[in-house]
Amino acid sequence: MTEQQLIAFFQDLHRHPELGYEETRTTQKVRQALEQAGIDLLPSGLRTGLIAVIRGKKPGKTIGLRADMDALPVQEETGLPYASEEKGKMHACGHDFHTTCMLGAALLLKERENELAGTVKIVFQPGEELSDGGGGKFLAASPALADVQEYYAGHTYPGFPAGTLGIKEGPVMAAPDTFTVRILGKGAHAGNPHLGIDPIPAAATLTLSLQTLITRNKDAFEPAVLSVTHLQAGTTWNVVPEEALLEGTLRTLREDLRLRLRQQLEAMAHSIAQAHGCQALVSFTVGPPPVINDAALCAAARETALRLGFRVDRQDNTMGGEDFSEYLAYAPGAFIRIGTGGGFPNHHPRFTADPAALPGAARFFAELALERAGSK
Ligand code: NI
């Protein structure tokens, strides 16, 4: 595939975004391109998504490259000539870029398989954007990937222009957990609130008090975010409702803090509900772990990037979540930001990823995998 063809492939995926676990067309397109190049596929155990493998002629390590494939339920407003043709769906996080980038890397590695010592497995993962542990958790545990010794993934980043990579060791993305609190009271006529148990004051107090978990209960140098994003109670003005609902997200970079804040949230919900005569039902959807980059592998990636002429910048931590961390439970790795310019953040209806960054990014991951597979 020429660079122009690679960019055309990306633009085609961008026109046809598919949500998590619905990536059938995307899977079909990638499969076709891989098969045309004579690249072998391994069973992934999923209906969408693929695992490709390129085996070198000499022994070496097994390296995993991972791309995600799914889009978001966002109505695109970029005005691009290759904007989404699917109403209410958009590649607003650049997973079309990631898929094309790792396809490009696979094709380059196939061309250079005679030089390759070791094996490279390229994972095209479905369902990254789903809150309940999507494709990453499933594929990371796949027997087809059991021998992978190092993992690498890239992510589009509007904060850098094309030609810049963000590489940083340590925690780079958060563990995104979701919580739901139902506060159960007792309905009544709004004129006689004393005959019921109003859950609304409890929900309001809890919403405000939860912020003290962030400001009063943890080290100020430890990042954590708690957002109540959905608050609901009642149906009309003259009825005390039976129940109030709070939903939100709790995001941390460290496992011990994550557990402690979950416990404190639960304890606070129960005690505030009880203080108001209500009962609280608390549940969590536990997201993927935080993404923690390996220092030595980041150093290797930085060296490769500089040698290929990239500008390397540090990446800031973000409190976004990313299920690449599921793979890092099995082998160390590095999550690298690819400068794709544009000016609008990921998940925004006007998010764009500069196609000019694609050929370079594909070359970088191919080169990195080649070097790391042959490294001692
Ligand atoms: Ni993403």
Side-chain angles (χ1 to χ4, degrees):
M1 232 185 231
T2 64
E3 293 189 354
Q4 279 320 309
Q5 286 169 324
L6 197 68
I7 289 171
F9 190 97
F10 158 69
Q11 292 174 337
D12 175 74
L13 293 190
H14 194 85
R15 275 196 192 96
H16 303 284
E18 296 172 301
L19 302 181
Y21 290 129
E22 295 172 7
E23 308 92 337
T24 45
R25 182 183 183 278
T26 310
T27 300
Q28 187 52 31
K29 296 281 294 184
V30 174
R31 179 194 299 275
Q32 216 169 27
L34 291 168
E35 284 176 350
Q36 252 168 33
I39 296 173
D40 291 334
L41 296 171
L42 299 172
S44 73
L46 286 171
R47 206 172 48 78
T48 54
L50 295 155
I51 303 174
V53 61
I54 296 158
R55 297 184 185 87
K57 305 287 182 227
K58 291 162 272 181
K61 294 208 280 205
T62 300
I63 303 300
L65 297 178
R66 176 274 207 171
D68 42 16
M69 309 172 92
D70 54 331
L72 285 160
V74 169
Q75 180 61 42
E76 179 158 351
E77 293 172 13
T78 60
L80 285 170
Y82 54 91
S84 170
E85 292 173 12
E86 308 293 330
K87 199 168 183 294
K89 297 178 194 175
M90 176 189 174
H91 270 297
C93 198
H95 297 189
D96 47 352
F97 184 104
H98 308 160
T99 297
T100 311
C101 169
M102 291 312 184
L103 170 64
L107 299 176
L108 289 171
L109 284 162
K110 181 66 183 170
E111 284 172 18
R112 296 173 69 183
E113 68 185 332
N114 287 328
E115 283 174 64
L116 175 65
T119 302
V120 182
K121 293 185 173 176
I122 303 106
V123 185
F124 297 93
Q125 180 205 306
E128 195 279 324
E129 299 285 4
L130 309 173
S131 67
D132 51 352
K137 196 177 179 108
F138 185 89
L139 280 180
S142 160
L145 297 176
D147 60 345
V148 174
Q149 290 164 281
E150 296 175 12
Y151 277 109
Y152 298 92
H155 204 293
T156 55
Y157 184 59
F160 300 146
T164 299
L165 297 177
I167 303 175
K168 177 181 157 289
E169 66 279 4
V172 290
M173 291 196 73
D177 296 330
T178 308
F179 60 85
T180 304
V181 183
R182 285 174 63 200
I183 297 178
L184 309 182
K186 190 174 153 219
H189 191 291
N192 298 314
H194 63 291
L195 298 179
I197 303 171
D198 190 351
I200 291 181
T205 305
L206 180 59
T207 301
L208 293 174
S209 298
L210 283 175
Q211 290 309 319
T212 64
L213 295 184
I214 303 302
T215 59
R216 305 289 84 190
N217 282 271
K218 63 157 196 69
D219 187 327
F221 292 96
E222 279 285 331
V225 167
L226 190 158
S227 299
V228 174
T229 51
H230 181 193
L231 186 55
Q232 196 180 324
T235 52
T236 186
W237 62 279
N238 57 0
V239 177
V240 171
E242 287 274 334
E243 180 176 336
L245 174 84
L246 275 94
E247 263 188 324
T249 180
L250 176 62
R251 290 160 184 261
T252 46
L253 293 178
R254 281 173 44 148
E255 210 56 46
D256 53 344
L257 181 64
R258 180 188 200 186
L259 278 178
R260 189 160 62 76
L261 287 177
R262 275 214 302 260
Q263 286 162 356
Q264 287 179 332
L265 186 155
E266 187 158 7
M268 189 176 269
H270 288 305
S271 59
I272 286 177
Q274 198 186 22
H276 289 262
C278 299
Q279 199 198 340
L281 301 178
V282 183
S283 62
F284 291 94
T285 304
V286 177
V291 177
I292 299 174
N293 279 348
D294 182 88
L297 302 191
C298 282
R302 191 175 294 120
E303 231 172 79
T304 305
L306 291 172
R307 203 164 35 72
L308 292 183
F310 281 94
R311 206 174 75 82
V312 177
D313 210 322
R314 285 180 67 77
Q315 53 174 294
D316 297 325
N317 296 335
T318 83
M319 298 308 273
E322 168 56 69
D323 75 1
F324 179 60
S325 58
E326 301 285 3
Y327 301 87
L328 303 183
Y330 294 86
F335 185 71
I336 293 164
R337 296 208 205 263
I338 307 166
T340 47
F344 288 94
N346 297 78
H347 294 208
H348 191 281
R350 294 173 74 182
F351 168 83
T352 54
D354 185 354
L358 247 179
R363 225 174 7 253
F364 166 72
F365 283 102
E367 187 68 26
L368 182 62
L370 196 82
E371 280 173 25
R372 295 304 304 163
S375 71
K376 294 288 172 276

